[in-house]
Amino acid sequence: LFPTIIIVATILGCNGLSGEYGIAMAAVGMLSTLGVTLATDAYGPVADNAGGIAEMAELEESVRDTTDALDALGNTTAATGKGFAIGSAVLTALSLLSAFAEKAGLKDT
């Protein structure tokens, strides 16, 4: 519920400050972090594979404990990345629909 409230507040705030252009710029701003977001999202599977290799190689338990902690961190970064992806997708879709409505000459009802 809280993330939804934040996204709605962002949309209303950007619309109030700069109209549809402000919403589009907010979407571009979120998309500008895409490189970092994708890099952190890729961390989880790497850590998970390291844990599997440590288990198959029958390494000592401390190695597996370390890889489990890294895997948990990878899951957290993946969840954070998904939040950014959803937020930027909402803002981008809203901007595209607004641009379409304006170009098509649709009137507010």
Side-chain angles (χ1 to χ4, degrees), residues 4-79:
T4 305
I5 293 170
I6 294 295
I7 291 175
V8 169
T10 300
I11 291 170
L12 294 175
C14 291
N15 189 42
L17 291 172
S18 297
E20 293 171 10
Y21 182 73
I23 296 171
M25 287 297 99
V28 170
M30 287 191 76
L31 288 173
S32 69
T33 64
L34 187 61
V36 174
T37 303
L38 289 177
T40 58
D41 202 19
Y43 177 79
V46 172
D48 190 37
N49 288 343
I53 291 169
E55 189 172 333
M56 288 186 292
E58 298 179 1
L59 296 177
E60 54 199 49
E61 191 63 31
S62 65
V63 174
R64 186 64 183 155
D65 291 340
T66 302
T67 58
D68 284 345
L70 292 173
D71 186 35
L73 177 64
N75 293 337
T76 303
T77 57

Side-chain angles (χ1 to χ4, degrees), residues 7 11 23 27 85-95:
I7 291 175
I11 291 170
I23 296 171
I86 291 168
S88 63
V90 167
L91 292 174
T92 303
L94 182 62
S95 297

